[in-house]
Amino acid sequence: MSDLQPVRGTHDILPEDHRRHRQVTETARQIAARYGYEEISTPVFEFSEVFKRTLGETSDIVTKEMFSFEDRGGEQLTLRPEVTAGVARAFISGGLAQHLPLKFFCQGPMFRYERPQKGRQRQFHQIDVELLGVDGPLADIEIISLAAHILDALGVADKVTLELNTLGDTESRQSYRTKLVGYLEGFKDKLSEDSLARLDRNPLRILDSKDQGDRAVIADAPLLEDHMNDASKAFFEDVQKGLKTAGIEYKINPTLVRGLDYYCHMAFEFTTETLGAQGAVLAGGRYDGLIEAMGGPPTPGTGWAAGVERLALMIAEPPGPARPVAVVPIGQAAEAEALSLVQRLRRAGFTADLGFSGNLQKRLKGANKANAVAAVIIGEDELAKGAATVRDMETGEQTEVKLSALEDHLARYR
Ligand code: ATP
Ligand code: MG
């Protein structure tokens, strides 16, 4: 342990990175609001059961990635690895069923014990939307359109590809599951340990395995799409039609799955090739059985989450902070005046800085370093006249301005 280092996989977010994060989160929040999604926040930790029940005991997250601990009262708690489970828990414990449909936007830190690399951290951030209470394809079209809209507004639309798949309804998935397990049973000696563990409880996830041996087996596995009943096909077609109408391009990826039983119909992901191994930017799907599986009233739901760090790496450099007006007093009497002046400017909406110490030259240097647009210089002469010398920091041009007219004069620098 080295206590002065951040914990492995965690990062300080310094101002420059914060600007990028904020650009991502605020763009998402604003656009989500146009679609009627209002922000909610759930706690960053929950009872471990919340995640075990929703993510499934065999998922990577539950088996390998959770930060879990016992608190002083002996409760088993987990730092949230994702937010859907918390939202579902909030829906149930808050008795929100009477307010359906509900559209939520969430953002904040998530925690997963993973091997850190570029775009993969142990504390990372997500933006997330959840739409509860709508069982038809219009809901899926809406959340995918919202995702595409946000990616477009962030200027990354041309760096991502939307991949879609359908898991079908319960009937289709069950019939496929039986077929798949029957097929995989024949290759028990070839499957990886992880996949063998999933064979009983979460066989669909085997399709998503990155293990070479598994991939060879999967290559000839029966296909999900051959087991769709008419209702499932219609749902998937409706979503595709909707996306076409909205002008959203996609490609179908038949191995894109979410293995757990309460996922159904849509699974989708926006992927990129610009982030090396971390190709997943935004991922989502429909989870009609989830709230019921947690003990709530049967409630359909669909949603997605995107990694803020990954998006932050992809966007163009956001504009820096507003350039300040520097107030530069010379002499003690002027300092008192400057103190009230800088406050007055800030209250009038200017970004204003006070040159803290040294002679005029040193303070002007400081103003330059602070990237000031203008310096408001007050010396004894100026004080006597109730005026200031305003220096344009780009041109060096100086103008004497009455203190009472200062805001008007500085308006050009806003
Ligand atoms: P991956 O395949 O990269 O592990 P995932 O399937 O675990 O992703 P989800 O659980 O679907 O990811 O989370 C949604 C999004 O959150 C991902 O698309 C990604 O952008 C982001 N994300 C997931 N895990 C991390 C992490 N450890 N660090 C940074 N971002 C992450
Ligand atoms: Mg992962």
Side-chain angles (χ1 to χ4, degrees):
M1 182 178 80
S2 160
D3 354 335
L4 294 181
Q5 293 296 314
V7 173
R8 188 165 141 79
T10 69
H11 293 271
D12 302 309
I13 307 171
L14 298 178
E16 202 179 309
D17 291 327
H18 241 297
R19 281 204 289 280
R20 288 178 173 268
H21 279 220
R22 209 159 50 233
Q23 173 90 346
V24 170
T25 307
E26 256 154 42
T27 302
R29 184 190 283 116
Q30 275 171 23
I31 292 173
R34 289 192 218 164
Y35 289 66
Y37 290 69
E38 275 206 279
E39 186 162 5
I40 64 163
S41 294
T42 60
V44 295
F45 55 86
E46 299 268 355
F47 291 116
S48 300
E49 270 308 303
V50 169
F51 304 110
K52 285 191 181 154
R53 255 189 270 168
T54 52
L55 298 170
E57 304 269 0
T58 60
S59 69
D60 279 353
I61 292 182
V62 171
T63 54
K64 301 180 201 153
E65 298 177 359
M66 292 210 308
F67 275 96
S68 297
F69 59 99
E70 190 178 295
D71 75 2
R72 290 168 193 274
E75 302 285 8
Q76 299 300 320
L77 306 179
T78 293
L79 298 182
R80 64 181 184 193
E82 53 107 56
V83 78
T84 308
V87 170
R89 196 273 308 138
F91 173 81
I92 299 169
S93 56
L96 302 181
Q98 53 187 326
H99 303 297
L100 289 171
L102 289 165
K103 297 179 173 193
F104 294 135
F105 170 80
C106 310
Q107 55 81 29
M110 308 294 155
F111 306 85
R112 297 185 193 178
Y113 193 83
E114 304 201 68
R115 194 164 70 79
Q117 41 196 304
K118 181 181 166 201
R120 186 177 296 286
Q121 304 176 190
R122 289 185 176 173
Q123 174 172 346
F124 64 100
H125 298 76
Q126 283 184 341
I127 48 173
D128 173 286
V129 306
E130 310 289 348
L131 170 47
L132 303 178
V134 184
D135 56 12
L138 271 179
D140 303 83
I141 297 165
E142 178 170 286
I143 63 158
I144 296 172
S145 304
L146 170 54
H149 191 161
I150 291 169
L151 295 170
D152 196 23
L154 289 173
V156 302
D158 57 350
K159 296 183 190 163
V160 296
T161 308
L162 169 59
E163 299 180 20
L164 295 184
N165 195 20
T166 178
L167 307 166
D169 59 12
T170 313
E171 181 189 271
S172 302
R173 217 169 41 260
Q174 285 307 337
S175 100
Y176 175 65
R177 190 188 157 115
T178 312
K179 262 275 164 50
L180 180 68
V181 172
Y183 168 83
L184 293 172
E185 294 272 345
F187 295 94
K188 274 187 161 170
D189 52 330
K190 299 225 168 66
L191 289 177
S192 68
E193 213 171 295
D194 279 351
S195 291
L196 276 176
R198 289 188 176 127
L199 198 51
D200 285 337
R201 287 148 91 189
N202 195 357
L204 264 66
R205 265 303 301 278
I206 298 176
L207 297 177
D208 198 27
S209 168
K210 282 160 188 113
D211 179 88
Q212 286 306 316
D214 289 346
R215 296 239 51 96
V217 174
I218 296 157
D220 294 320
L223 290 175
L224 196 55
E225 63 198 63
D226 296 336
H227 294 76
M228 291 296 133
N229 59 20
D230 288 344
S232 299
K233 281 184 194 155
F235 192 106
F236 196 35
E237 271 158 26
D238 283 350
V239 172
Q240 293 181 59
K241 263 188 229 150
L243 294 179
K244 280 187 187 133
T245 307
I248 297 170
E249 285 177 37
Y250 61 87
K251 68 178 196 203
I252 293 175
N253 173 356
T255 65
L256 183 66
V257 286
R258 301 231 174 264
L260 301 163
D261 282 346
Y262 31 76
Y263 286 105
C264 60
H265 295 299
M266 300 309 302
F268 60 90
E269 213 164 88
F270 283 85
T271 57
T272 185
E273 297 190 339
T274 63
L275 295 178
Q278 272 50 256
V281 176
L282 182 154
R286 178 168 275 278
Y287 50 84
D288 288 352
L290 179 132
I291 290 175
E292 195 179 2
M294 282 183 83
T299 310
T302 186
W304 55 253
V308 174
E309 281 77 4
R310 292 189 193 175
L311 285 167
L313 286 167
M314 293 168 71
I315 60 174
E317 172 97 40
R323 295 177 65 182
V325 169
V327 177
V328 179
I330 322 280
Q332 252 179 9
E335 263 176 32
E337 180 65 37
L339 205 53
S340 68
L341 187 59
V342 75
Q343 270 315 88
R344 192 177 108 194
L345 290 177
R346 289 169 180 154
R347 284 177 186 271
F350 292 93
T351 301
D353 236 7
L354 193 56
F356 289 110
S357 66
N359 58 21
L360 176 63
Q361 218 183 3
K362 206 166 155 211
R363 291 191 196 213
L364 281 179
K365 239 186 181 164
N368 233 333
K369 207 171 154 212
N371 198 22
V373 263
V376 177
I377 303 163
I378 321 174
E380 269 165 36
D381 283 359
E382 283 91 351
L383 213 51
K385 288 192 245 172
T389 300
V390 176
R391 179 186 175 91
D392 183 307
M393 297 298 283
E394 296 291 335
T395 63
E397 195 184 318
Q398 303 203 143
T399 321
E400 189 175 290
V401 181
K402 279 268 171 228
L403 284 182
S404 57
L406 204 54
E407 283 92 335
D408 284 345
H409 180 83
L410 292 175
R412 71 195 67 182
Y413 297 114
R414 285 237 206 180

